[in-house]
Amino acid sequence: MKRDADFEQLARYTGEWMRGEGPESDIVISTRVRLARNLADFPFIRRCSDEDRLSIERTVRSRMETIADRLWESAQYVDLEPLSEIDRQLLVERQLISREIADSDGSRAVAFDASEGYSVMINEEDHLRIQVMRSGLDIENTWKQVNRIDDMLEEVVLYAFHPRYGYLTACPTNVGTGLRVSVMLHLPALVITEQMDRVFRSMQRINVTVRGLYGEGSQYTGDFYQVSNQVTLGYTESELLDLVGKEVAPRIIEYERKAREALLKNNRDDLHDEVSRAMGILSTARKISSEETMHHLSKIRLGISMGLIDKPDVKIINQLFLQSQSAHLQKLQGRILGTAERHARRASFLQQHLSGKDDATWN
Amino acid sequence: MKCQFCEKPATFHITELTEPTGPQVMHLCEEHAKGFLHKGASSPMAAIATALAKQLGQSGDDLEELDQKECPVCGITFREFRNSGRLGCPYDYTHFEADLRPLLINVHDRTDHAGKHPQRSAGTADSQARMIKLRSEMEEAIKSEDYERASELRDELKNMAAPLNPPNTETDDQS
């Protein structure tokens, strides 16, 4: 496993899961499956001493090294403790680590592969958080990969497991399978037609939660919603995967498609106008916040998916979503920027890429 | 009346009508009420808060007694768990089992694991607890520079974990 990552280089590219490909990718951005696991011979993170945390980090790292060549083709291991705030933020923006682990203290780390499809967080809320991300709605393959990593880690570390309660986790809301299946959906038409409340209400009855782009506690920005299973205990992994992947996500996708059809039929001109204005603002603004950027990028993405505009490619919009965020902008600029500078830099960055003048940072 | 989650007086009395089991009254201090009302009903903390409030009812004495209950392995009290929503060690699921079960039913509807099992056993809850205790004693011994004792504890820990470790895996505990 390669130690540490080149963050300047990282900021220039997007992971495979942001490519805008895969099943239902006009509406489904990505599928993520994560497993929460704890070592049997340590307290949970909340009651760990500094020595415990260090020992967990070292133990997991060295054990992972013994299986690294089987685990994934090229892995990077990043010690988060000595990292600058901006580099940690960059990893949050790429969804390789959670906001929680970025903001916590003490020994903690993340291992991820070059395509950024897999990541293992060490010393998050649980000792191990294993996650796999894929583009589009692809529950089965995502699960297969995360399960494979889990099986391999099980060979080298001892998991805390109870015959009745399953895999033991710091929060009782994750106990049992420790499995969270999340599908990231782009639902602008349901937002425009004011049907999201109805979707939220219907979801609450069937044990799934709907959250904003960066998960728990975050705001819903840019019409992106994450749907995931609420329960983890008493159901098999495949039941939980099916709940999200076969029952809930397809239903929401269908609602969104119907809402898009209705918009095309009844409000095509208004919608086209909105999409064009969004394009106009992002192509000409001299300064812009990340919230406003998200809002307009969302409209443009909708316009592309609905065939109202034919360029840019949805892949470029996905990249702009990622790279117009604060840490990415600052990394690409090579220095820390104040708020006003960031707004100006973001505007010129968007202008360059939407006009197609500068593609120097694209892969 | 005290807040259901801390020692402060309960100034908010919230009746929840969304629960399928019927109206549920919660007595909270300003801070906990704010947290409860601002967090979406779907957040884990809110799920735990709702479940615990329902479970504990309104009996202050019972709550006081339960709050004092402490895990012999990690030392976490039930109060600390209630306030943070996070448990302290794997043994808490054994020590607080009776108190956690209604919560698990409330959150998951079920109490028995139906999914995957690890390929290797980590031993019984007691042996896992013993390993955690040994480790903590070893850290204490290192801190107080009693290296002889630390080394004994380290050996004992190694022996306990050894049959469970795969062959040819280097021991990599912190020394």
Side-chain angles (χ1 to χ4, degrees), chain B residues 9-173:
Chain B
T11 47
F12 282 76
H13 308 277
I14 303 164
T15 306
E16 281 268 295
L17 297 169
T18 52
E19 293 295 317
T21 47
Q24 176 218 336
V25 185
M26 302 195 47
H27 308 280
L28 305 170
C29 68
E30 191 176 344
E31 200 182 321
H32 278 104
K34 221 182 260 173
F36 181 78
L37 294 172
H38 286 182
K39 270 179 184 146
S42 60
S43 84
M45 265 311 287
I48 289 176
T50 311
L52 280 173
K54 198 183 290 176
Q55 177 185 340
L56 297 168
Q58 291 159 44
S59 161
D61 288 348
D62 289 352
L63 180 59
E64 190 62 34
E65 201 183 319
L66 177 58
D67 267 352
Q68 306 299 323
K69 204 168 166 182
E70 190 178 305
C71 171
V73 177
C74 68
I76 199 172
T77 58
F78 200 77
R79 168 172 295 150
E80 196 182 333
F81 163 64
R82 280 205 300 129
N83 287 335
S84 67
R86 304 290 181 269
L87 293 163
C89 75
Y91 192 71
D92 291 350
Y93 283 92
T94 302
H95 186 69
F96 296 116
E97 186 167 10
D99 314 301
L100 285 175
R101 199 171 303 151
L103 169 70
L104 295 175
I105 292 173
N106 201 283
V107 173
H108 301 282
D109 258 347
R110 300 181 183 186
T111 55
D112 284 38
H113 178 54
K116 182 177 176 179
H117 283 239
Q119 296 148 352
R120 296 182 308 142
S121 162
T124 62
D126 284 344
S127 64
Q128 290 178 46
R130 174 89 185 128
M131 284 195 282
I132 294 171
K133 282 186 107 168
L134 284 173
R135 190 176 297 281
S136 134
E137 283 172 34
M138 183 178 79
E139 279 168 12
E140 282 304 313
I142 292 171
K143 262 185 208 155
S144 58
E145 299 185 5
D146 185 352
Y147 297 114
E148 199 176 325
R149 177 77 187 132
S151 158
E152 281 168 20
L153 289 163
R154 188 189 164 90
D155 288 345
E156 197 178 336
L157 197 57
K158 254 190 219 171
N159 287 338
M160 280 198 78
L164 307 164
N165 279 343
N168 304 324
T169 301
E170 277 179 47
T171 49
D172 34 28
D173 295 324

Side-chain angles (χ1 to χ4, degrees), chain A residues 41-42 44 46-47 49 52 62-63 125 147 150-151 154 157 159 164-165 167 169-170 172 176 232 234 236-237, chain B residues 74-75 80 84 86-89 93 97 101 108 110 112-116 118-120 122 135 139 166 172:
Chain A
D41 50 348
F42 285 91
F44 293 143
R46 189 175 177 81
R47 300 296 284 189
S49 62
D52 285 334
S62 71
R63 303 274 168 99
E125 180 184 302
N147 191 37
D150 184 46
D151 283 348
E154 268 185 12
V157 295
Y159 284 154
R164 180 165 191 182
Y165 303 118
Y167 291 93
T169 53
T232 52
T236 64
E237 284 80 5
Chain B
C74 68
E80 196 182 333
S84 67
R86 304 290 181 269
L87 293 163
C89 75
Y93 283 92
E97 186 167 10
R101 199 171 303 151
H108 301 282
R110 300 181 183 186
D112 284 38
H113 178 54
K116 182 177 176 179
Q119 296 148 352
R120 296 182 308 142
R135 190 176 297 281
E139 279 168 12
D172 34 28

Side-chain angles (χ1 to χ4, degrees), chain A residues 219-238:
Chain A
Q219 296 298 308
Y220 307 117
T221 46
D223 312 325
F224 291 93
Y225 295 85
Q226 181 180 286
V227 180
S228 43
N229 59 305
Q230 203 165 22
V231 298
T232 52
L233 177 67
Y235 298 81
T236 64
E237 284 80 5
S238 70

Side-chain angles (χ1 to χ4, degrees), chain A residues 334-345:
Chain A
R335 65 186 176 90
I336 303 284
L337 304 171
T339 309
E341 275 185 309
R342 275 206 307 275
H343 287 191
R345 177 63 201 138

